[in-house]
Amino acid sequence: SVQEHAIRRGVSNRLVFDRDKFWNPSCVMQNDRLRTMAELASEEPRPDERLQVRVLKPSLYGPGGFNSQHSKTWILDGELYVDGSANFTGQSTRNEESVLATRIRSVIHDATSAFNDVWETATEVPMYRLLALPEYQQRSASQSARRSTSLSVEKRF
């Protein structure tokens, strides 16, 4: 992945995930990707400079069960701002997505300030927790069939 390549090149990565989606991801490959990134970072002299992950349950507008850290924003080398609807996955390259990229300094400055504010309120996920994320378990055909059948039955009622 791009992030793995960045870690190998010595690039620092700071990631903020929605707290609930981090611990119960909807992307089946998320844990495997994060664990691989953590393993690569751990091989470096200063792993915490290569990969830092934090989680957040936003409450800016009050508590709520549906509040989420939903932004998909990248600030690359303080020189490129990328934002939009696309998740950073292979599937997003096949989806209809909206993405904006700019090198306008004032936009990058404002986005960096906003990210740093979020970063300060988010909770750190220590490296040992990243390294211990559970592996993706492929569902057996019978599990998938049972799930599909129960979903179909539910739809009829």
Side-chain angles (χ1 to χ4, degrees):
S1 76
V2 173
Q3 297 100 330
E4 292 169 18
H5 184 67
I7 289 172
R8 284 189 182 103
R9 289 189 358 251
V11 175
S12 296
N13 293 266
R14 291 191 305 161
L15 309 172
V16 177
F17 285 84
D18 178 76
R19 183 193 68 205
D20 297 340
K21 288 296 183 186
F22 180 84
W23 297 114
N24 297 298
S26 55
C27 174
V28 296
M29 299 305 294
Q30 177 177 298
N31 285 352
D32 292 342
R33 290 180 180 134
L34 284 169
R35 193 177 46 265
T36 298
M37 290 174 66
E39 289 166 354
L40 289 170
S42 294
E43 295 170 3
E44 298 296 322
R46 294 183 299 271
D48 291 335
E49 289 182 18
R50 297 292 178 253
L51 178 63
Q52 296 176 48
V53 175
R54 293 189 180 188
V55 293
L56 177 72
K57 180 68 172 178
S59 60
L60 183 62
Y61 301 106
F66 294 109
N67 294 354
S68 71
Q69 169 62 27
H70 197 255
S71 66
K72 290 101 173 174
T73 301
W74 298 273
I75 303 167
L76 308 166
D77 294 332
E79 307 219 356
L80 179 64
Y81 168 78
V82 181
D83 189 65
S85 64
N87 291 313
F88 211 50
T89 64
Q91 180 61 44
S92 69
T93 62
R94 295 180 292 279
N95 294 344
E96 186 67 35
E97 302 284 1
S98 172
V99 177
L100 166 75
T102 186
R103 292 185 184 275
I104 298 172
R105 292 266 180 226
S106 60
V107 172
I108 295 168
H109 178 269
D110 291 349
T112 300
S113 293
F115 177 83
N116 287 334
D117 290 345
V118 167
W119 184 258
E120 290 304 314
T121 62
T123 303
E124 177 186 3
V125 178
M127 186 67 69
Y128 76 89
R129 293 294 300 268
L130 295 173
L131 291 167
L133 286 169
E135 289 185 35
Y136 168 61
Q137 299 294 319
Q138 181 101 23
R139 290 178 187 226
S140 69
S142 62
Q143 286 174 316
S144 295
R146 278 195 308 263
R147 182 170 183 231
S148 297
T149 302
S150 63
L151 288 175
S152 298
V153 169
E154 289 173 17
K155 288 179 184 177
R156 284 191 227 151
F157 296 118

